Amino acid sequence: MDSALRMSDAGVPDRENALHHGVAIKTIRRWRRDYQRRGKPRGQLHCTAVCPLCEDGDLDASAYGELLGWYLGDGHISSGRRGVFNLHIYNDDQYVLDNHRIQNLMRRVKIGGRPHTRVVPGCVITTVSWKHWPCLFPQHGPGKKHERAIVLEDWQRRAVEAHPADFLRGLFHSDGCRVMNSTWRQVAGAPKCYRYPRWQFTNHSADIRELCCWALDLAEVAWRQSSSVTIRVSRREAVARLDELVGSKA
Ligand SMILES: [Zn+2]
């Protein structure tokens, strides 16, 4: 227990701490609570994260660009107690590395933040709380994203312009997929099957699709609209370029 409390004091997230010590997360939390009740400071250290918008904090624009992509794809902000907001990113539980990555992005944007995860069937919800999430994601508002306007502020556009690949990575790893397409062609009189990969991005918000196309243009990746809600990248060199920029979902 002492070792777990020491790690907690050092800022190790509860989840990692629990894994390291082979106990449940709630056990770690209970240990911290017990100490706090006795007036001991264990696990009470808060790194105060400084907001880059309303205070003079620094913005890691690369991490922010990707987190913005994830937020627009599958994120949600809820309001918690005492003016604190929770940023939740939902992702398929099969993408273990991506789910770790989301936690890292959150820590880079909210320095000292302690994201935690909750698993629901088929999905991992990664959450971190902060009073300043509405400053960083002014698109936060009531209702579904596709039922309201999603317009980036100038500083957000500048972050994406500086890091379009990061933004695309967030978008394509949340609401995109890389699929194998196959077509049959006649070759020397015999049918031959050709298989080739393509990326597609599906989102019900026209504004978010437009942002995706804008970032693809910035990164010089050719795209086309393939259905009312889907953007497709299928030219061979464009697929290769997007593979290089965003990597595969993992
Ligand atoms: Zn703020």
Side-chain angles (χ1 to χ4, degrees):
M1 179 168 92
D2 274 347
S3 154
L5 289 168
R6 268 198 304 278
M7 282 178 69
S8 184
D9 279 352
V12 173
D14 288 346
R15 187 181 181 77
E16 280 170 35
N17 205 345
L19 277 174
H20 183 83
H21 289 91
V23 297
I25 296 182
K26 61 183 180 191
T27 308
I28 298 281
R29 291 193 186 131
R30 181 163 50 76
W31 287 346
R32 277 202 288 121
R33 263 202 317 276
D34 289 348
Y35 262 81
Q36 284 162 5
R37 276 202 202 103
R38 282 182 253 153
K40 303 201 177 174
R42 296 282 190 187
Q44 278 187 324
L45 293 182
H46 290 294
C47 295
T48 345
V50 185
C51 178
L53 273 297
C54 68
E55 298 166 335
D56 63 349
D58 289 326
L59 181 68
D60 179 334
S62 151
Y64 176 76
E66 185 173 341
L67 196 58
L68 177 62
W70 281 102
Y71 166 72
L72 294 177
D74 266 321
H76 167 66
I77 292 173
S78 64
S79 58
R81 286 178 300 173
R82 294 193 290 269
V84 171
F85 291 84
N86 299 305
L87 168 66
H88 312 277
I89 305 284
Y90 299 71
N91 193 35
D92 197 311
D93 64 359
Q94 67 172 301
Y95 300 120
V96 177
L97 293 178
D98 273 341
N99 287 318
H100 274 285
R101 189 178 174 90
I102 291 167
Q103 292 193 41
N104 277 327
L105 292 169
M106 288 174 166
R107 286 194 200 104
R108 285 167 63 193
V109 173
K110 185 198 175 186
I111 312 282
R114 295 181 181 189
H116 59 268
T117 54
R118 191 158 67 86
V119 181
V120 295
C123 176
V124 173
I125 307 170
T126 308
T127 300
V128 67
S129 50
W130 200 11
K131 285 185 178 166
H132 297 280
W133 287 127
C135 301
L136 280 122
F137 298 106
Q139 288 71 31
H140 165 57
K144 301 192 164 152
K145 289 195 207 90
H146 66 271
E147 290 163 354
R148 52 192 160 92
I150 300 290
V151 181
L152 296 190
E153 296 195 349
D154 287 346
W155 66 269
Q156 292 180 294
R157 292 183 75 87
R158 285 195 296 276
V160 174
E161 279 162 1
H163 303 277
D166 296 293
F167 181 62
L168 287 169
R169 184 182 173 107
L171 287 177
F172 275 88
H173 281 232
S174 57
D175 274 350
C177 60
R178 190 182 190 277
V179 292
M180 290 305 286
N181 200 30
S182 48
T183 57
W184 289 88
R185 296 219 186 103
Q186 291 290 326
V187 177
K192 189 173 174 195
C193 180
Y194 285 92
R195 284 165 62 76
Y196 56 92
R198 68 164 185 246
W199 277 98
Q200 52 194 41
F201 176 78
T202 303
N203 193 292
H204 288 271
S205 158
D207 288 345
I208 294 174
R209 289 195 304 274
E210 206 168 284
L211 290 170
C212 179
C213 298
W214 167 61
L216 286 167
D217 285 342
L218 287 172
E220 298 181 334
V221 175
W223 56 270
R224 68 185 178 85
Q225 177 100 29
S226 78
S227 77
S228 60
V229 294
T230 302
I231 306 297
R232 187 179 283 178
V233 171
S234 43
R235 276 196 214 159
R236 186 197 297 245
E237 68 283 359
V239 172
R241 171 118 178 100
L242 198 54
D243 282 345
E244 190 186 311
L245 292 176
V246 307
S248 46
K249 293 168 76 154

